[in-house]
Amino acid sequence: MDTLPAPHPLRSRLSAGAAPDPIDRYFEISLFGLVATGFLTLAFTGRIDGYTMALMGSALAGKAILLWRGSAFLLSPAWSLRLALAYIPFFVLDGLFLQASAVNALERWVVMAGIHLIFFGAAVELFSACRTRDYLFLAALAFAQMLAAATLTVGTAFLFFFAVFLLLAVSTFTSFEIRRARGRAADVHRLLSPEEKRRGLAPALSATSAAICLGVACLSVILFFVIPRANRGFFSSLSRPSDRMTGFSDDVELGQIGQIKRSSAVVMHIDAPELRPSDGIKWRGIALSAFDGKRWFNNSRAAMTVPGRRSFRFVRETPRSSQPSRLLHYTITLEPLASDAVFLAPEPLELTGPFRTLWQDQTGSVYMPSGSGSLVRYSVLSDVSVPTPASLAASPPEAPADIREMYLQLPPTDPRILELARHITAGASTNYDKARAVEQYLQANYGYTLELPPALPQDPIAFFLFESRRGHCEFFAASMAVLLRSLGIPARLVNGFLQGQFNDISGNYTVRASDAHSWVEVYFPASGWVSFDPTPAEGRRPQSHWLGRMALYVDAFQTFWEEWVINYDFLHQVTLARRLERTSREMRRDSRQYLQEKYRGIVAALRSFTDSALQHRGLLAAALGVLVLGMAALLGGAGIRSLLGDWSLRRRARSGHSRPQDATLLYLRLLRLFARRGVKKLPGQTPCEFAESVPEPLRPLVRDFTRLYLETRFGRLTGSVPQMSDLLTQIQSQPQSGPRC
C-alpha cells in the first residue's frame, strides 16, 4: 500500500507532454468498466430508484468523457473529504426517513441505504483515485455492487453481467499487477519500444484476461455441479419486491388485474407433460367473497393449516363420487411475486414443495405463511375433471345457509342490473342454465379491451353494463358475479392466470403477467364450486411475447437456469450423476458395438479379397504390372532418371568407379536439402559464398563438401566422391539451427 500521495501517472505524463502509457490507460479503462458493470447489474434488477440511477449514470458518463479525451482531472483530497462529511447526515436521513415506510424497514435500510452509500463512494473515487489503495477501494466498491445485485435478483440477466464483470476483473487485476511489477523492473519495460507498447500490449493483456476468465468460468461450472449446497440463499428474503402484486391479495380494486396484464414479465414455468395446449386450464390464486361496489375482498381470512410437512393433502369440499376423475401431475416454478398465494389447478389433491406449513382459507385459496419473496418450486396432483352439464342442471337450487350468507352479499346496486339479470335468464329454469345464459350473454354482447378510464366511475359495474360495454376480464367476471347474486345464485370472483403459452423447446408452459385473469365460481350443492368464464375469446387466449420465437429460446434458457442453477441442490446432483453414468454406459455400449461391426466388416472384406486373389492369380499379376507402369508414368522420365541416377551413384561410389558428374549430382542434392530447410542458394552466389551463408554448426561441413565438389568437378579428382557422400550423410543427420528464411 502507498503511504504517501503519489502523482497521478496520467497527469504527470500529460504535463510533461508525453503520450499516455498503454498499461496505465488499459488499467484505467478496465477499472472504469468494472465499476460501470456493477452499476448496470444493479440497475437491471429494477430495484433502484430513478434519482439514484440518474445521478450515478451521470457520474459514469462524466468519467467516460474524461477517459475519452485523455483528461487527468482529479478531485483534490480536500474536496473528497468535504463530500464524504456532507454525505454522513444524508445517509442517516436516507435510512431513517426515505426507506422507513417500506416493507421490512430495517432490511430495506441496510440494503438500499447501503447501496446508495456504495454508489456515492464509487462516484467520488472515480474522480479522485490516484494511489494504489484508491484503486483497490474502487474495485472493492464494484464488487460490492455485484454482491448487492445478487441479493436483489435471481434473473438470468445477472449471469450475463457477472460474466462481463469476471472478464473485466481479471483484466483489471492483471494490468494492476503489471503496473506494480513495472515499478520494480523498470529496466525490462524500457526494452520495449513505444510502438511495441502501443500495438502489442493491449491485445496481449486482453487475450490473457480472456484466457484466465475462461479457465475460471470452466472451473466454476465444475465446482458448481460438484459442491453440494442449500436450495435457498441467506439473503433470499431481501429479493422480495417492495410492493405486493396487486390483484393477488385479500383486497382488490376493480381494474388492478388490467394493470398486471400490461406487463410481459414471466410469472411461472409449468412442467405438465400430460397437459394439452387446448385444455384451457386456469391456475387459481385468490378467491374473493365480498363486494362493496368498487372492490372485492374477504371479510376475514379464516385460514386453517393444511395437514402435512413438505407434502400436503387437501380435503375435497364436495365429494364427486359419480364423476370420473382426471388426474393431472404438474410442477410449478413460481417467480418472486410478493404474494402469499400458491397457484394451483382446481381441484388440488396433494402438494409437495419446500414449505413447512400451508394455509387454506374458507374460499379454498392456498397460502404460504412466509410469502414467495424468492423462487419457489412445487409439485401438485390435481383433479381437473369438470362436472357434466346434466349433473349441474340436476343439482338442488337451494344452497346451505352459510353459503347464501357469504356469497349473496351485495352493496346497493343500480336497479337496471336486476332487470338485466331477469331478462337474460328469462328462459332458464335451473341455476346452471341461468349461469350459462349470463356467461354467454356477456361473451356475445360486450367487447374486450385493456383501455379504461383513468378513474373508476361511481358505479363501475353499471357503467360497464349499460354505458361503456367494453372492459377486461375483471369487469366481465365481476359483472357476472353481481348478476348471479342478484338472482339468488351464490357466486364469487377468482383471480389467477390462464394456462400460458407452450414452449416446444423446453417442453414447459410459460405463464406471463399478461396471462393474469379473472373468472367466476358458481356454487352447486351437489358438485361444489364450478368455474365459469364470461370473458370473450380474445381475452381468454394466452398472450404471446412480442419477440415471438426468440422469446421461446429465452424462456427455455430461463427454465434451465431456474432448474439447474437457482434450484440446484443435492437431489439435482444425484440426478445429474445418474444421467452422466447412464450416458457414459450407453456410449461405451454403442462404441463397442460399432467397433465390433466394423471389425467384422473388415475381416469379411479381407477374406473375400483373399479368396478372389487366389482364384485369379494371373489377373492379380497383371494388375500389379499395370500399377508399376502407372507409377512410372506418374513419376515421369525425370523422376525415374533421378531414382536410377541415385542408385547408380551409390553403386559406383562403393566400387571405386565414380565419375566427375557424380560430384554435381551430390551438390544438387545438398542444395535441395538446404532449400527444404529454408536456406536457398541465390543465382549470383558462388559455391564458396553459399557455404559461408550456411548457419552454424553446419558451415564447416559445407565448406569441406564445397572444396571436395570443386576439386572433383573441375580437377577431375573422382576419388573425392565417396568423401562427399559421407559428408552429405553427416549434414543430413545434423538438426537445423538458425531461423528458416
Side-chain angles (χ1 to χ4, degrees):
M1 295 293 181
D2 297 341
T3 56
L4 295 176
H8 190 270
L10 183 59
R11 175 180 291 179
S12 301
R13 285 190 300 274
L14 292 179
S15 61
D21 186 87
I23 295 180
D24 291 331
R25 184 162 180 80
Y26 185 89
F27 168 72
E28 291 169 359
I29 293 176
S30 297
L31 184 59
F32 171 78
L34 200 68
V35 178
T37 302
F39 166 71
L40 291 175
T41 308
L42 272 172
F44 271 81
T45 63
R47 306 295 307 283
I48 309 301
D49 57 277
Y51 294 108
T52 303
M53 291 178 60
L55 292 175
M56 187 61 187
S58 300
L60 290 171
K63 182 62 177 179
I65 293 174
L66 293 179
L67 288 174
W68 177 264
R69 294 181 175 179
S71 174
F73 170 78
L74 288 176
L75 289 175
S76 64
W79 269 106
S80 300
L81 180 61
R82 293 190 189 103
L83 291 174
L85 294 175
Y87 190 80
I88 294 176
F90 176 80
F91 176 74
V92 176
L93 294 175
D94 187 24
L96 293 179
F97 297 101
L98 299 183
Q99 308 295 338
S101 60
V103 181
N104 298 329
L106 180 59
E107 295 177 349
R108 294 281 292 170
W109 182 15
V110 172
V111 176
M112 300 308 299
I115 290 175
H116 292 167
L117 179 61
I118 291 172
F119 280 160
F120 169 78
V124 173
E125 284 294 333
L126 278 174
F127 293 97
S128 61
C130 62
R131 295 177 293 186
T132 298
R133 62 184 179 187
D134 296 333
Y135 297 135
L136 293 177
F137 182 59
L138 192 56
L141 290 174
F143 176 75
Q145 293 180 91
M146 294 296 297
L147 187 61
T151 65
L152 298 178
T153 183
V154 293
T156 52
F158 180 82
L159 176 65
F160 168 75
F161 286 110
F162 181 74
V164 176
F165 184 86
L166 179 61
L167 175 61
L168 290 172
V170 173
S171 176
T172 300
F173 285 103
T174 300
S175 55
F176 174 74
E177 286 301 322
I178 291 177
R179 292 176 74 251
R180 290 182 50 173
R182 184 183 59 183
R184 296 190 296 266
D187 294 338
V188 175
H189 182 71
R190 294 193 192 100
L191 297 177
L192 297 175
S193 65
E195 187 70 17
E196 292 174 332
K197 297 176 187 177
R198 185 175 69 254
R199 292 186 178 180
L201 187 58
L205 286 176
S206 301
T208 303
S209 302
I212 296 175
C213 178
L214 181 61
V216 171
C218 294
L219 180 62
S220 301
V221 170
I222 296 173
L223 294 178
F224 176 86
F225 286 105
V226 172
I227 298 177
R229 73 219 56 203
N231 61 353
R232 293 287 184 93
F234 181 77
F235 293 102
S236 61
S237 61
L238 297 181
S239 63
R240 179 178 180 135
S242 58
D243 299 326
R244 299 177 63 83
M245 177 172 278
T246 56
F248 298 102
S249 63
D250 285 329
D251 193 333
V252 180
E253 186 175 355
L254 283 176
Q256 290 181 345
I257 289 292
Q259 298 174 9
I260 299 175
K261 292 179 71 67
R262 296 179 182 274
S263 171
S264 62
V266 175
V267 173
M268 62 181 102
H269 291 104
I270 301 167
D271 182 13
E274 303 169 0
L275 185 62
R276 298 182 297 267
S278 59
D279 285 339
I281 295 295
K282 298 182 178 67
W283 311 108
R284 189 180 190 271
I286 303 291
L288 303 168
S289 58
F291 182 57
D292 65 0
K294 287 189 175 181
R295 61 190 182 93
W296 286 86
F297 58 94
N298 288 324
N299 286 316
S300 62
R301 183 191 284 184
M304 60 181 178
T305 303
V306 183
R309 182 182 177 88
R310 296 191 180 274
S311 181
F312 306 88
R313 293 182 178 273
F314 299 92
V315 179
R316 289 180 181 268
E317 295 186 51
T318 304
R320 302 178 183 179
S321 57
S322 61
Q323 176 187 328
S325 298
R326 182 196 167 190
L327 300 182
L328 177 67
H329 295 82
Y330 55 96
T331 300
I332 293 181
T333 303
L334 185 64
E335 299 288 336
L337 294 182
S339 172
D340 297 335
V342 178
F343 295 90
L344 305 166
E347 178 175 10
L349 303 179
E350 187 175 354
L351 183 150
T352 303
F355 311 110
R356 295 184 179 274
T357 58
L358 281 181
W359 293 341
Q360 189 174 29
D361 66 10
Q362 55 192 351
T363 67
S365 303
V366 182
Y367 301 91
M368 296 176 279
S370 58
S372 58
S374 59
L375 200 71
V376 179
R377 182 181 177 88
Y378 51 92
S379 300
V380 190
L381 173 65
S382 292
D383 181 4
V384 296
S385 60
V386 179
T388 62
S391 64
L392 295 177
S395 181
E398 289 296 325
D402 57 338
I403 296 293
R404 294 177 60 85
E405 179 182 359
M406 179 177 295
Y407 296 107
L408 291 180
Q409 169 271 334
L410 277 178
T413 56
D414 192 310
R416 295 177 295 176
I417 293 179
L418 179 58
E419 296 178 5
L420 178 62
R422 290 173 176 171
H423 169 73
I424 296 172
T425 60
S429 58
T430 66
N431 285 352
Y432 171 74
D433 294 333
K434 293 177 181 180
R436 184 63 68 190
V438 173
E439 180 187 51
Q440 294 175 353
Y441 180 84
L442 293 174
Q443 290 177 354
N445 295 279
Y446 292 83
Y448 182 84
T449 182
L450 290 175
E451 302 299 330
L452 297 175
L456 285 177
Q458 187 64 28
D459 191 342
I461 300 300
F463 177 78
F464 168 74
L465 289 174
F466 304 110
E467 296 184 35
S468 69
R469 304 181 67 85
R470 293 174 60 82
H472 54 72
C473 58
E474 199 173 4
F475 287 89
F476 283 91
S479 298
M480 180 174 178
V482 171
L483 288 169
L484 292 178
R485 287 188 178 190
S486 66
L487 296 173
I489 302 175
R492 64 191 181 194
L493 187 77
V494 180
N495 289 336
F497 291 92
L498 297 170
Q499 180 170 311
Q501 182 185 14
F502 180 70
N503 189 330
D504 58 352
I505 301 171
S506 64
N508 292 347
Y509 289 85
T510 301
V511 180
R512 302 181 181 275
S514 54
D515 294 319
H517 195 63
S518 295
W519 62 95
V520 178
E521 288 182 346
V522 182
Y523 185 79
F524 297 90
S527 303
W529 292 95
V530 180
S531 297
F532 289 80
D533 195 344
T535 304
E538 59 266 29
R540 288 183 278 120
R541 284 192 290 265
Q543 301 298 311
S544 301
H545 196 272
W546 62 274
L547 285 177
R549 187 70 180 175
M550 181 59 66
L552 298 182
Y553 287 98
V554 175
D555 287 334
F557 178 74
Q558 179 78 16
T559 303
F560 172 82
W561 175 261
E562 293 168 351
E563 172 72 15
W564 292 101
V565 178
I566 302 301
N567 283 318
Y568 185 76
D569 53 13
F570 178 74
L571 180 61
H572 286 81
Q573 286 181 323
V574 173
T575 303
L576 182 62
R578 289 177 177 174
R579 288 184 181 178
L580 291 175
E581 191 273 336
R582 183 171 61 252
T583 302
S584 62
R585 185 171 61 251
E586 292 175 353
M587 290 180 62
R588 289 195 303 270
R589 184 186 66 246
D590 295 342
S591 60
R592 185 165 56 251
Q593 292 178 353
Y594 176 81
L595 292 176
Q596 288 176 352
E597 292 176 358
K598 291 297 182 182
Y599 173 76
R600 286 194 291 267
I602 293 173
V603 170
L606 289 176
R607 286 177 178 174
S608 176
F609 177 78
T610 304
D611 294 341
S612 299
L614 293 176
Q615 295 175 4
H616 305 87
R617 297 183 181 87
L619 182 63
L620 180 61
L624 290 176
V626 172
L627 179 62
V628 171
L629 293 176
M631 292 182 61
L634 181 65
L635 292 173
I640 295 176
R641 285 196 301 272
S642 177
L643 292 175
L644 294 177
D646 290 343
W647 176 77
S648 300
L649 188 149
R650 288 192 294 271
R651 182 179 60 81
R652 289 193 297 271
R654 287 194 299 269
S655 62
H657 297 87
S658 299
R659 299 178 302 179
Q661 293 85 347
D662 294 342
T664 303
L665 293 175
L666 291 173
Y667 189 75
L668 292 176
R669 290 177 60 185
L670 176 75
L671 295 182
R672 289 197 299 270
L673 172 65
F674 277 101
R676 287 194 299 268
R677 295 187 177 186
V679 181
K680 296 182 179 180
K681 181 178 180 297
L682 301 178
Q685 278 185 323
T686 65
C688 293
E689 291 174 344
F690 173 72
E692 296 300 325
S693 67
V694 172
E696 296 287 351
L698 299 178
R699 189 178 300 165
L701 295 176
V702 176
R703 283 200 196 104
D704 295 340
F705 184 90
T706 303
R707 177 177 56 78
L708 293 174
Y709 162 68
L710 295 176
E711 291 177 355
T712 305
R713 178 70 178 84
F714 301 103
R716 317 294 290 180
L717 301 177
T718 57
S720 302
V721 172
Q723 300 180 36
M724 291 179 62
S725 181
D726 294 339
L727 285 174
L728 183 60
T729 302
Q730 296 182 36
I731 294 172
Q732 289 175 334
S733 63
Q734 292 290 331
Q736 177 185 350
S737 61
R740 300 182 65 174
C741 300

